[in-house]
């Protein structure tokens, strides 16, 4: 696959919501790492899932490029943000 055609590092959006960042790509699958957006901040979670590339043909799924770099969350300083992510 040509470097300029690579989806790695781009984001998967489903139904208008940011779902995750593409971490790896094979001929048939994408490895998508879960992303969460709270108060305009993007955070990446540890969870990742393989998604069949056929899902990209769906009208509610699209690939987006974002200029923002996801934040690393300091669980000591960002207790409220972590609680929101964990739905606590």
């Amino acid at each position: 696959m040509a470097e300029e055609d690579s989806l790695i590092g781009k984001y998967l959006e489903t139904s208008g919501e940011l779902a995750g960042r593409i971490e790896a790509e094979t001929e048939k699958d994408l490895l998508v790492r879960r992303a969460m957006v709270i108060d305009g901040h993007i955070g990446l979670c540890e969870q990742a899932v393989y998604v069949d590339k056929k899902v990209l043909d769906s009208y509610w799924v699209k690939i987006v490029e974002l200029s923002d770099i996801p934040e690393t969350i300091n669980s000591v300083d960002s207790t409220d943000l972590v609680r929101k992510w964990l739905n606590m």
Side-chain angles (χ1 to χ4, degrees):
M1 175 170 288
E3 188 68 33
E4 61 272 359
D5 293 336
S6 176
L7 297 175
I8 296 172
K10 296 181 181 174
Y11 290 82
L12 188 67
E13 186 178 277
T14 58
S15 300
E17 297 288 327
L18 192 65
R21 185 173 75 182
I22 300 170
E23 300 292 335
E25 178 180 13
T26 66
E27 186 176 320
K28 295 181 181 181
D29 298 313
L30 300 171
L31 178 63
V32 179
R33 186 173 177 188
R34 185 176 175 209
M36 302 196 65
V37 180
I38 297 176
D39 298 331
H41 299 287
I42 300 170
L44 295 174
C45 302
E46 293 178 358
Q47 301 95 348
V49 64
Y50 281 99
V51 177
D52 192 317
K53 279 188 173 180
K54 291 178 185 176
V55 77
L56 298 177
D57 296 332
S58 303
Y59 70 91
W60 63 85
V61 176
K62 69 179 182 177
I63 301 294
V64 294
E65 292 187 59
L66 301 176
S67 59
D68 292 336
I69 297 174
E71 291 188 24
T72 300
I73 297 173
N74 181 333
S75 60
V76 174
D77 295 335
S78 301
T79 306
D80 292 334
L81 187 57
V82 171
R83 284 184 180 147
K84 287 181 185 179
W85 282 11
L86 297 174
N87 294 322
M88 295 174 68

